[in-house]
Amino acid sequence: SMVRDAVLKFTRELSARLVIRSVSENSIRINDEEHFDSIALTAEDILGTWPGTSVAALTVADFAAVFETKPEIVLLGTGTSNVFPPRELTFAFARKGGGLDVLNTSAAARTFNVLDNESRRVTAVVFVWASAPAAVPRSGLRQSRAGARSYSQSRRQSAVSP
C-alpha cells in the first residue's frame, strides 16, 4: 500500500540520519565514518570539509553553504575550548534571524545530536581539536564572551529540557 511505502521510506530516511558518534583530538566520527578535517554537516548531509581558517578569522562568506541549509540554529564547535568568532559574524547571524551557538567541539557534537532528535533544523560546523588554533584576544572580546556564554547556556537548557 501507499501508506506502507511511505512508512518504509520515512524509516529509511530516519536511519540514514547523521549522528556525531565521537570526537577525539584529531578526528570526528560521524555514523561509522572517521573524519580528520574540520567539517560542516546537517543531520541529512555532510556539507563538506571546513577550510583551515582559525575561528578568529571566520567571515560570513565562509558560511554560505551553511546558510543555504536554512538552519534554525548553527552550532560552532571550536576545538577543546570555546573560542569566540569575530563579533561581525555574530551580528550577521542575528541579522539573518538564525542563532549561532559557540561551544567546544564535544559539547557541539552532543547538542547537535539532541537538537536533531527534537527535529530542529540544526547545522554544525565542528573544528577538529588539533586544527582549531586559539583566537587572538581582541578588544571587546570579554564583553561579547559573557554575552555569548549566557546565550549559549540558555540555548543549551532549552535544548536539553523535554
Side-chain angles (χ1 to χ4, degrees):
S1 77
M2 224 166 84
V3 171
R4 200 184 74 90
D5 288 348
V7 168
L8 276 174
K9 182 177 185 296
F10 179 70
T11 311
R12 223 187 5 261
E13 279 175 6
L14 216 60
S15 63
R17 294 183 84 72
L18 299 177
V19 175
I20 303 175
R21 303 262 178 229
S22 65
V23 173
S24 76
E25 205 160 304
N26 49 18
S27 72
I28 295 165
R29 179 176 285 280
I30 299 167
N31 288 8
D32 298 320
E33 217 174 305
E34 204 87 25
H35 297 267
F36 297 94
D37 294 302
S38 300
I39 200 163
L41 71 152
T42 66
E44 291 85 30
D45 206 7
I46 289 177
L47 304 180
T49 57
W50 197 252
T53 22
S54 72
V55 174
L58 290 173
T59 66
V60 181
D62 293 323
F63 287 84
V66 167
F67 287 127
E68 277 173 28
T69 68
K70 308 247 184 297
E72 205 182 320
I73 299 165
V74 175
L75 301 172
L76 178 61
T78 59
T80 42
S81 56
N82 285 24
V83 179
F84 289 98
R87 280 170 50 188
E88 299 72 56
L89 186 66
T90 313
F91 296 149
F93 269 86
R95 280 196 301 275
K96 288 181 180 289
L100 176 65
D101 206 344
V102 181
L103 306 145
N104 68 55
T105 293
S106 293
R110 285 193 303 273
T111 307
F112 174 82
N113 294 337
V114 167
L115 291 174
D116 174 49
N117 260 338
E118 295 177 354
S119 305
R120 308 281 290 279
R121 280 199 328 280
V122 59
T123 301
V125 174
V126 282
F127 278 76
V128 174
W129 294 358
S131 69
V136 178
R138 290 179 314 285
S139 61
L141 189 70
R142 188 168 303 135
Q143 175 205 333
S144 72
R145 179 170 295 186
R149 190 179 300 119
S150 61
Y151 165 76
S152 118
Q153 276 166 354
S154 68
R155 268 293 215 229
R156 235 190 329 275
Q157 280 154 5
S158 70
V160 174
S161 62

